[in-house]
Amino acid sequence: MKVDSLWPQLLNGLFPPRCCLCQWASGNDLPLCRDCRSELAANTLACQRCALPLPRPGICGRCQREPPAFDRVIAPWLYSDCFAHLIHLWKFSGRDDLTPLLAQLWLDGAREPGDIDLVVPVPLHWRRLWQRGYNQSQLLADRLVCKLPATRVHPRLLVRRRATAPQSGMDARARAHNLRGAFTVRLPCDNLRIAVVDDVLTTGATAREAARTLKSAGARHVELWCLARTPAPGH
Ligand SMILES: [Zn+2]
Ligand SMILES: [Zn+2]
């Protein structure tokens, strides 16, 4: 056995991974224990297009009225309090070491990732990237692609043309307006099947705008891979 493959084992022996939610030893290689994991709710009954939780499988009213530019969304988990805490640690508390855990949760929950040529993270504006130090969607995309060998990441295909105001507190219409023209594409995407990676899908305004931009650059199929989906307002 090579020395560098012993290091992780040795470190795990000395400092067993702790659960990032309850702080007890996690009992496995990842920082989430079985009890806390069992509190995460799977997004099983959902819109086949936008992954909005629904009482029965089908297409939600909004996707029927205004079909989105993306072909489908894979969002295996519900954005519960538990999941929100995980995402908050990952994005705002510098816990970029949670990326392997979150990638594994996505892989465990996503039943059919399908055939994809390129994986593209949702870009952050450079100013936000500079403040946070990392783009969480890029970390997640890199990690997923390690596990899905037929795909590759193109980190700079989609770029943010301008900074957009933070979207929390905006309704769907305000978000769509805030994002119009926010992205631009660096290369032609003729005939490509593209997966856009983001952390959480809320109103879908970011996904709709990113997909619209990629489709107008020639992409044949655009889907969104995100970790969790928020329910409809008032749900
Ligand atoms: Zn725990
Ligand atoms: Zn829908």
Side-chain angles (χ1 to χ4, degrees):
M1 193 180 273
K2 286 199 313 213
V3 175
D4 46 326
S5 66
L6 276 173
W7 267 114
Q9 285 184 23
L10 190 64
L11 286 171
N12 277 355
L14 288 171
F15 308 103
R18 298 206 159 264
C19 174
C20 63
L21 295 178
C22 70
Q23 312 306 325
W24 287 85
S26 74
N28 64 79
D29 290 345
L30 294 168
L32 187 67
C33 75
R34 226 167 56 185
D35 286 353
C36 289
R37 189 184 160 134
S38 70
E39 302 218 349
L40 302 179
N43 185 17
T44 39
L45 277 182
C47 171
Q48 287 155 8
R49 201 76 187 262
C50 74
L52 184 77
L54 293 177
R56 66 191 71 80
I59 308 271
C60 76
R62 183 171 178 215
C63 288
Q64 287 180 28
R65 283 193 309 276
E66 347 159 11
F70 53 74
D71 296 275
R72 67 165 180 168
V73 173
I74 304 182
W77 301 96
L78 291 179
Y79 194 60
S80 56
D81 287 352
C82 230
F83 218 100
H85 192 167
L86 271 178
I87 298 275
H88 196 271
L89 288 171
W90 183 50
K91 275 172 81 168
F92 304 112
S93 304
R95 291 289 309 267
D96 52 329
D97 62 307
L98 297 182
T99 309
L101 165 68
L102 291 164
Q104 194 56 52
L105 286 172
W106 189 87
L107 290 161
D108 290 348
R111 266 158 295 181
E112 292 155 36
D115 293 329
I116 289 295
D117 305 303
L118 269 189
V119 175
V120 177
V122 167
L124 284 182
H125 186 255
W126 66 266
R127 198 173 294 121
R128 203 156 297 153
L129 181 61
W130 180 66
Q131 286 162 350
R132 193 176 297 165
Y134 54 92
N135 175 357
Q136 73 284 348
S137 303
Q138 163 97 57
L139 299 183
L140 184 61
D142 288 341
R143 187 74 192 183
L144 289 175
V145 163
C146 294
K147 307 276 177 172
L148 301 168
T151 58
R152 63 196 171 88
V153 178
H154 196 310
R156 303 276 300 151
L157 180 70
L158 199 59
V159 287
R160 226 173 246 269
R161 191 190 291 182
R162 57 182 172 78
T164 46
Q167 306 212 78
S168 36
M170 288 186 192
D171 66 11
R173 187 178 293 247
R175 284 183 186 219
H177 182 76
N178 183 36
L179 283 162
R180 189 128 283 257
F183 300 111
T184 182
V185 170
R186 285 261 166 110
L187 295 168
C189 302
D190 296 331
N191 229 8
L192 288 176
R193 295 162 301 181
I194 298 179
V196 177
V197 173
D198 203 357
D199 47 11
V200 178
L201 190 70
T202 306
T203 63
T206 307
R208 282 171 184 253
E209 185 60 20
R212 202 184 59 76
T213 311
L214 291 165
K215 285 256 168 109
S216 40
R220 168 163 43 120
H221 173 95
V222 177
E223 59 185 54
L224 185 80
W225 293 356
C226 57
L227 294 163
R229 183 68 163 99
T230 56
H235 197 78

